[in-house]
């Protein structure tokens, strides 16, 4: 049985865990080795490449962490969840969202990240 909350929690913790080996364990427990990660700044293929990217993010932002802001919505083999980047002194980034595809093995095989909230429709 697929436990979406556990997989997403592991994946989120991997993004800013200060310990490199723990980051690796968390990511590989939740993300497929041949998975794809896409956000507005990068398109990454493979867990090793994503881990390298995460390592660079952690080095650039050592006092930040990712906080989930929603429950995990699941249907078929897709899920989505909201998150925000947090930091010391009360820093709170923009509400953001990841949409993911789940593999038959119960890991994330595709993650598409969107930074910031939805843009409202203009008034007619």
């Amino acid at each position: 049985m697929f436990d979406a909350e556990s997989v997403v929690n592991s994946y989120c913790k991997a993004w800013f865990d200060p310990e490199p080996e723990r980051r690796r364990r968390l990511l590989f427990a939740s993300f497929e080795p041949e998975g794809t990660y896409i956000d507005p700044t990068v398109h990454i293929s493979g867990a090793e490449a994503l881990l390298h990217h995460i390592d660079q993010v952690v080095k650039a932002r050592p006092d930040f962490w990712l906080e989930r802001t929603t429950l995990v919505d699941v249907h078929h083999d897709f899920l989505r969840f909201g998150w925000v980047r947090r930091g010391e002194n009360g820093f709170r980034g923009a509400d953001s969202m990841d949409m993911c595809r789940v593999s038959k093995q119960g890991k994330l095989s595709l993650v598409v990240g969107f930074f910031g909230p939805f843009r409202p429709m203009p008034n007619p």
Side-chain angles (χ1 to χ4, degrees):
M1 177 95 186
F2 170 65
D3 181 354
E5 292 287 329
S6 292
V7 169
V8 169
N9 284 341
S10 179
Y11 172 76
C12 289
K13 288 176 186 174
W15 270 92
F16 285 97
D17 193 294
E19 188 63 41
E21 280 307 310
R22 196 166 43 227
R23 271 197 308 273
R24 173 180 282 283
R25 283 193 305 276
L26 289 164
L27 184 65
F28 279 75
S30 57
F31 191 83
E32 282 292 335
E34 302 302 320
T36 300
Y37 173 85
I38 304 168
D39 73 28
T41 66
V42 297
H43 185 164
I44 297 170
S45 296
E48 284 291 344
L50 179 56
L51 183 62
H52 176 73
H53 176 69
I54 291 171
D55 289 345
Q56 299 308 308
V57 169
V58 170
K59 286 177 188 169
R61 298 175 180 94
D63 297 322
F64 287 88
W65 62 92
L66 188 145
E67 179 180 292
R68 269 193 37 218
T69 56
T70 69
L71 296 173
V72 179
D73 290 328
V74 181
H75 72 79
H76 297 85
D77 57 343
F78 292 93
L79 64 82
R80 70 176 180 172
F81 62 94
W83 58 271
V84 66
R85 190 169 42 105
R86 300 295 303 239
E88 292 184 341
N89 301 318
F91 173 83
R92 186 182 194 286
D95 287 314
S96 299
M97 181 196 87
D98 280 4
M99 195 276 311
C100 309
R101 180 167 229 161
V102 180
S103 71
K104 288 179 175 41
Q105 292 72 34
K107 294 183 179 183
L108 305 178
S109 62
L110 171 66
V111 176
V112 180
F114 290 85
F115 300 157
F118 284 97
R119 296 179 299 155
M121 293 288 292
N123 292 328

